[in-house]
Amino acid sequence: MVDGVSSIGRPGAEVIPGVRWGKPEWVPSAAFWAQMSALAHEDDDYVCRDMTLKEQVGFCLLGGFGITAEMNASAYDRLAAEQIFAPGSLADAEQIRELLTAPLEIQGRSRKYRFPNQKAARLSQALRMLEHAPPKTNDHRIFRRELTEIPGIGMKTASWITRNWLGSDDVAILDIHIIRAGILIGLFGRDQQVARDYELMEGRFLQFAKALQVRPSLLDAVMWRHMRALGRGPV
């Protein structure tokens, strides 16, 4: 993977317009992401085909802004244990809200889940819609578009579900960690906003992955994991 792009050569050479190659020791540079992707295992892409669609939608809806990955997983585990995502289950918002309101144990500490009322209402409606009219899977981008018709599921969450459940390399999950990395290397402009420019930014990300010869689903996961570990810094 790295060998395939080593011909780019000089640190100042462009991988794609606006993005310099850099050096593997420059964190984060295009060369760094190429190296990290080469060192990653193919199953580090967070694709999970063992889940049902309702389970995957539930997991992704429980995550998002202000909710850590650990809280996301803990809330999902609780609801799954109560059969909220089981086939035929049509749990109402109040039942889900009660489960989300009770404290969660996360890394040995009792924590409260954020936004239990909002998430419960959205999750209940989403699960009912999926039970009656699941989106078609033959075209990944149409699948994502149909997911965005569910209240509470925007482009990022729909892309997250699509990547995780279908193993799709046709979409990208542009969360805060990916955006920070993209701004730092010139992949995204500081004036771009996902609410307005999602598909434009996604196109740049997919172009970048192709230039690095890395599957977008793997590159997305690698960048998310490393940027999250690095913590929040200036961009």
Side-chain angles (χ1 to χ4, degrees):
M1 201 173 296
V2 173
D3 290 341
V5 293
S6 61
S7 59
I8 292 172
R10 294 176 294 103
E14 287 192 328
V15 182
I16 63 172
V19 179
R20 304 292 181 182
W21 176 236
K23 296 182 178 180
E25 61 268 28
W26 293 357
V27 183
S29 64
F32 172 79
W33 293 125
Q35 177 175 264
M36 291 301 99
S37 298
L39 294 173
H41 297 292
E42 283 300 303
D43 58 358
D44 282 346
D45 56 8
Y46 298 114
V47 172
C48 185
R49 295 184 178 86
D50 294 333
M51 281 184 167
T52 66
L53 179 57
K54 289 174 70 173
E55 288 171 336
Q56 190 62 250
V57 168
F59 180 83
C60 294
L61 261 181
L62 287 167
F65 177 76
I67 298 173
T68 65
E70 292 77 15
M71 182 174 288
N72 186 173
S74 183
Y76 170 82
D77 287 344
R78 173 178 289 172
L79 268 58
E82 294 296 324
Q83 302 297 306
I84 298 300
F85 311 114
S89 173
L90 295 174
D92 60 31
E94 180 58 25
Q95 180 183 357
I96 297 174
R97 188 194 69 78
E98 289 180 2
L99 291 169
L100 293 178
T101 300
L104 297 164
E105 185 171 331
I106 301 172
Q107 298 177 329
R109 297 178 59 189
S110 180
R111 301 286 300 276
K112 288 187 176 181
Y113 180 81
R114 300 188 69 183
F115 320 120
N117 296 333
Q118 179 195 73
K119 293 287 188 173
R122 289 179 174 178
L123 185 53
S124 176
Q125 185 172 6
L127 295 177
R128 289 172 184 274
M129 292 178 71
L130 290 172
E131 185 73 25
H132 298 301
K136 296 178 286 293
T137 61
N138 54 313
D139 184 302
H140 293 186
R141 294 179 73 86
I142 292 177
F143 175 83
R144 178 178 67 176
R145 188 182 68 217
E146 292 184 359
L147 284 173
T148 63
E149 295 171 5
I150 298 174
I153 296 183
M155 285 288 283
K156 189 198 82 172
T157 302
S159 299
W160 189 11
I161 296 165
T162 304
R163 192 278 306 272
N164 283 13
W165 199 59
L166 297 179
S168 180
D169 284 318
D170 295 334
V171 303
I173 309 167
L174 302 182
D175 86 331
I176 186 62
H177 301 296
I178 306 302
I179 294 168
R180 284 178 53 225
I183 289 174
L184 287 169
I185 64 176
L187 184 62
F188 306 135
R190 292 178 181 272
D191 60 340
Q192 289 184 309
Q193 301 176 19
V194 289
R196 181 190 64 208
D197 305 313
Y198 198 100
E199 291 185 281
L200 179 64
M201 296 168 72
E202 178 181 63
R204 285 274 290 175
F205 181 91
L206 297 177
Q207 183 185 9
F208 179 57
K210 182 177 181 179
L212 295 188
Q213 300 176 23
V214 180
R215 289 187 298 108
S217 56
L218 180 62
L219 179 61
D220 190 298
V222 168
M223 291 175 75
W224 180 86
R225 185 166 57 250
H226 282 278
M227 292 302 293
R228 182 171 182 259
L230 287 170
R232 185 169 182 80
V235 294

